[in-house]
């Protein structure tokens, strides 16, 4: 993960945003935030960073940071959805690991369909 993404997540934490075990996002006042979805299915919410710029925070990455800390920023580490569903950001579905492990989280049938044959 690059420094820009790390800075976004740390900014969200500093401002008091958090994700509960069911994947709901709350601000520092305990109010639930609206979740949007990227074209690839990953849920996100927006905040203003320390420079006043609007930035997207990926829910699964914030939840992973809450549970695994700075380990999510290590080289070759990705945040995994254990069931392969990017919309499922519950605590029991989020882990960290390698990209290879992440690929095996995708159901076999879907992995097969995603293969490109020449």
């Amino acid at each position: 993960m690059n420094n820009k993404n790390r800075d976004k997540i740390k900014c969200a934490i500093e401002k008091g945003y958090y994700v509960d075990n069911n994947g709901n996002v709350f601000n520092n006042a305990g109010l639930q935030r609206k979740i949007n979805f990227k074209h690839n299915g990953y849920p996100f919410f927006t905040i203003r960073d320390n420079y006043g710029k609007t930035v997207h925070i990926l829910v699964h990455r914030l939840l992973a940071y809450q549970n695994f800390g700075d380990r999510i920023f290590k080289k070759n580490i990705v945040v995994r959805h254990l069931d392969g569903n990017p919309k499922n950001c519950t605590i029991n579905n989020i882990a960290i690991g390698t990209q290879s492990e992440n690929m095996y989280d995708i159901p076999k049938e879907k992995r097969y369909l995603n293969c490109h044959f020449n």
Side-chain angles (χ1 to χ4, degrees):
M1 183 178 292
N2 64 35
N3 288 339
K4 187 176 179 182
N5 289 328
R6 177 181 20 216
D7 292 346
K8 287 184 201 180
I9 291 172
K10 291 202 173 195
C11 179
I13 292 289
E14 289 168 7
K15 291 178 177 274
Y17 291 92
Y18 65 95
V19 182
D20 72 6
N21 291 345
N22 295 315
N24 301 303
V25 177
F26 297 89
N27 65 16
N28 62 350
L31 300 174
Q32 190 169 352
R33 293 295 311 267
K34 179 183 176 190
I35 301 292
N36 297 298
F37 293 89
K38 293 192 170 272
H39 65 89
N40 57 7
Y42 287 95
F44 72 94
F45 64 101
T46 57
I47 66 168
R48 292 213 181 263
D49 67 10
N50 294 327
Y51 306 102
K53 182 179 176 185
T54 300
V55 294
H56 293 176
I57 306 296
L58 291 167
V59 174
H60 69 286
R61 289 190 178 153
L62 181 58
L63 182 58
Y65 183 76
Q66 290 173 197
N67 289 285
F68 304 107
D70 287 334
R71 289 186 290 163
I72 72 165
F73 304 130
K74 287 187 176 180
K75 186 176 180 175
N76 299 321
I77 294 297
V78 297
V79 178
R80 302 164 50 202
H81 289 84
L82 298 176
D83 67 358
N85 177 3
K87 293 180 180 177
N88 182 357
C89 292
T90 58
I91 189 68
N92 295 331
N93 192 49
I94 300 297
I96 58 174
T98 65
Q99 181 60 32
S100 178
E101 290 170 321
N102 192 39
M103 294 309 294
Y104 280 105
D105 295 333
I106 300 170
K108 186 176 181 179
E109 307 78 42
K110 190 172 180 183
R111 277 198 321 266
Y112 181 77
L113 290 174
N114 290 340
C115 289
H116 297 285
F117 294 100
N118 292 328

